[in-house]
Amino acid sequence: MSAPTRLVPRSRAGITERLALSAATPEGVHIPTADVPGWLNFHRLFCGTAIRRIPFAELDHWSFAPESGNLGHSSGRFFTVEGLHVVRPEAEWQQPIIVQPEIGILGILAKEFDGVLHFLMQAKMEPGNPNLVQLSPTVQATRSNYTKAHGGAEVKYLEHFVDPDHDHVLTDVLQSEHGAWFYRKRNRNMIVEVEGDVPLHDEFRWLTLGQIVAMLRLDNMVNMDARTVLASAPMAPPEQGALSSDSDLLAWFTGERARHDIITRRMPLPEIAGWQQDEHSISRVDDKFFRVVAVSIEGAGREVAGWTQPIIEPVAPGIVAFAYRVFDGVPHVLVHALVEGGFLDTAELAATVQYVPANYAHLDAEHRPPFLDLMLNASPDRIRYSATHSEEGGRFLNAESRYLIVETDEATTPAEAPPGFHWVTPGQLSWLAGHSRYVNVQARTLLAILNSGAADCTHLSV
């Protein structure tokens, strides 16, 4: 006689409601919200870290390979900087790109205090952060880091994420990184709930989602890795309706991926066309987009006290913005099926606008990217969210973007979206973000802002 079948619940009961309660709780049990910026600043001053630009020749354990000319580490671990050749029907280019095939862990521990979920956040130094220390996940580590390829210390709390109890996993999904700067890079985004005692180290604090929301409203407080993990959590309940059904949305996006022909080929770094190299940088001849430079990090207070590394530096700040409208009482955002050379699957859903305006300043209005001027010139009374956030500080130097959510109208963003764009609800976008390679990392930041209530969308016109 066979054993009775045990049906497994499709999702953890009530997790969306528990996250909503945490988001609605402005104060936690361990640190007042008003004290969080000061706590981060204390660690900024305490770590005493100095970031210094250096010539490539001063990199320790990094060098240009004699055969390929690619920039890599002597251990063969961490990452390499290589060349990438991208061919599309309407464009062709070559560029440096970071190749880091190993999958890292971005993990946040969750625990209930007084019936409210709190999240264990870290005051973490990263050399590329404009203010060095930001609010980060509990664990933020590449495989090279947590297997101690650098010979450093253990990654705190790692054991909760390497082999977690599946009954306590709130979210677990592989997500892409920046497709313009990484080649097919993915990280494991996780939230794992714990019930027992967890030792609290000095650079960690338990915060409610409401406290994290307060930090999201400030410039350069919550790092990119924390934002993407939160975006992957099931925070948004499904809406009662949408301009497109889920099946129609998937059909549209599949069609977008299919219609974009793109061929990519890794190539030796010294052979990329349109770029120049000197002792301090690898940059485009016209000095647009980004450059590769080298830095020395001293007194880091990390797994190792100091190191040198190559790092990507954008030439100017970016802008990442959602157009936001309400149709029949249901909020929608305008997403863009954006192709980037480093994506594994051709295109991912991006914000309405994701550009560095300085790269297009020389173009007349007719040839500038769609909706860019609309967002740059948005009236203050239309802006429902605005803050500057930096991108991944371990690989990018001072890579900042102004993140916006802007209320628009039929005249500027019609309900019949132009080719390549589509109106989706936050719930639909959250559903897609629970799966790999649908929503890109910049759009996930805006999704975390929307779903957590950090944006002031309460008085949008219907």
Side-chain angles (χ1 to χ4, degrees):
M1 184 175 179
S2 61
T5 301
R6 178 179 178 269
L7 297 179
V8 178
R10 290 184 60 200
S11 62
R12 286 178 56 81
I15 181 57
T16 298
E17 292 76 13
R18 295 172 71 206
L19 289 168
L21 174 61
S22 184
T25 304
E27 293 291 344
V29 299
H30 285 139
I31 182 173
T33 304
D35 290 350
V36 175
W39 173 67
L40 291 172
N41 191 52
F42 168 80
H43 283 279
R44 187 175 302 122
L45 297 173
F46 178 77
C47 71
T49 305
I51 310 298
R52 180 170 57 91
R53 294 171 184 265
I54 59 174
F56 291 123
E58 291 185 17
L59 284 167
D60 188 21
H61 296 295
W62 292 85
S63 62
F64 294 97
E67 302 83 10
S68 66
N70 294 334
L71 184 54
H73 194 264
S74 59
S75 67
R77 306 289 295 276
F78 300 106
F79 62 92
T80 55
V81 181
E82 305 181 14
L84 186 71
H85 187 185
V86 182
V87 179
R88 300 184 61 193
E90 69 278 15
E92 180 178 356
W93 71 91
Q94 297 174 0
Q95 65 169 88
I97 199 156
I98 294 175
V99 179
Q100 188 175 353
E102 61 185 32
I103 294 174
I105 292 176
L106 307 179
I108 297 178
L109 280 184
K111 180 178 168 64
E112 273 197 6
F113 294 93
D114 296 339
V116 177
L117 277 177
H118 287 59
F119 302 88
L120 188 60
M121 308 301 291
Q122 180 181 179
K124 187 177 183 68
M125 190 288 297
E126 292 181 287
N129 288 341
N131 52 357
L132 286 182
V133 176
Q134 295 186 12
L135 205 60
S136 309
T138 317
V139 167
Q140 178 183 316
T142 66
R143 184 171 288 131
S144 292
N145 288 143
Y146 65 75
T147 57
K148 298 191 286 186
H150 48 43
E154 298 281 352
V155 175
K156 297 180 180 70
Y157 308 107
L158 178 66
E159 67 276 10
H160 296 283
F161 301 96
V162 173
D163 187 22
D165 180 345
H166 295 292
D167 287 340
H168 291 86
V169 175
L170 305 187
T171 184
D172 187 359
V173 58
L174 287 180
Q175 295 288 22
S176 62
E177 298 284 313
H178 295 76
W181 297 332
F182 276 120
Y183 183 73
R184 300 182 177 181
K185 176 74 175 77
R186 296 172 296 161
N187 277 323
R188 190 176 180 185
N189 289 226
M190 306 176 72
I191 300 178
V192 176
E193 187 173 2
V194 290
E195 295 176 347
D197 291 335
V198 176
L200 188 64
H201 298 280
D202 185 57
E203 66 272 27
F204 294 82
R205 290 292 184 273
W206 291 102
L207 304 178
T208 69
L209 188 53
Q211 292 181 288
I212 299 171
V213 164
M215 298 304 105
L216 280 170
R217 294 181 176 131
L218 304 176
D219 292 346
N220 287 322
M221 283 289 178
V222 182
N223 85 345
M224 186 213 77
D225 295 308
R227 303 190 307 261
T228 180
V229 173
L230 293 174
S232 302
M235 286 195 282
E239 296 88 358
Q240 294 302 308
L243 285 181
S244 296
S245 67
D246 292 352
S247 58
D248 286 346
L249 170 59
L250 285 176
W252 168 80
F253 187 46
T254 301
E256 287 295 307
R257 280 180 162 169
R259 78 178 180 88
H260 287 293
D261 291 325
I262 181 169
I263 299 172
T264 60
R265 175 179 64 88
R266 288 158 64 182
M267 61 182 295
L269 183 61
E271 297 179 12
I272 55 177
W275 292 74
Q276 59 192 0
Q277 180 175 337
D278 59 30
E279 61 177 334
H280 286 93
S281 70
I282 303 169
S283 61
R284 273 180 52 125
V285 174
D286 60 8
D287 201 32
K288 289 185 178 179
F289 295 99
F290 66 92
R291 60 182 72 93
V292 180
V293 298
V295 293
S296 171
I297 299 95
E298 300 164 4
R302 288 266 299 266
E303 292 88 359
V304 292
W307 69 93
T308 63
Q309 67 169 84
I311 197 166
I312 282 180
E313 180 183 35
V315 300
I319 181 171
V320 181
F322 266 148
Y324 190 123
R325 290 188 62 187
V326 176
F327 298 101
D328 292 331
V330 178
H332 288 69
V333 294
L334 187 62
V335 296
H336 180 199
L338 181 66
V339 176
E340 293 188 291
F343 284 154
L344 186 60
D345 278 331
T346 308
E348 294 189 10
L349 296 179
T352 318
V353 165
Q354 179 193 307
Y355 299 107
V356 173
N359 292 327
Y360 306 93
H362 65 288
L363 299 175
D364 57 38
E366 182 181 353
H367 295 95
R368 285 160 66 81
F371 307 113
L372 176 58
D373 290 327
L374 174 67
M375 297 304 172
L376 288 175
N377 302 317
S379 172
D381 66 329
R382 290 273 183 167
I383 296 174
R384 302 305 176 218
Y385 177 87
S386 175
T388 296
H389 296 298
S390 58
E391 306 305 324
E392 206 270 299
R395 300 290 178 264
F396 312 134
L397 180 64
N398 297 325
E400 292 181 294
S401 292
R402 186 186 182 203
Y403 280 82
L404 292 169
I405 297 173
V406 177
E407 180 185 5
T408 57
D409 54 31
E410 185 67 18
T412 55
T413 53
E416 186 68 33
F421 293 82
H422 204 83
W423 289 104
V424 303
T425 69
Q428 288 176 316
L429 199 59
S430 185
W431 164 58
L432 292 175
H435 302 79
S436 299
R437 304 192 302 276
Y438 278 98
V439 184
N440 82 350
V441 67
Q442 292 95 330
R444 293 199 302 271
T445 281
L446 287 175
L447 180 62
I449 288 161
L450 277 170
N451 286 347
S452 65
D456 182 16
C457 296
T458 57
H459 59 290
L460 286 176
S461 56
V462 177

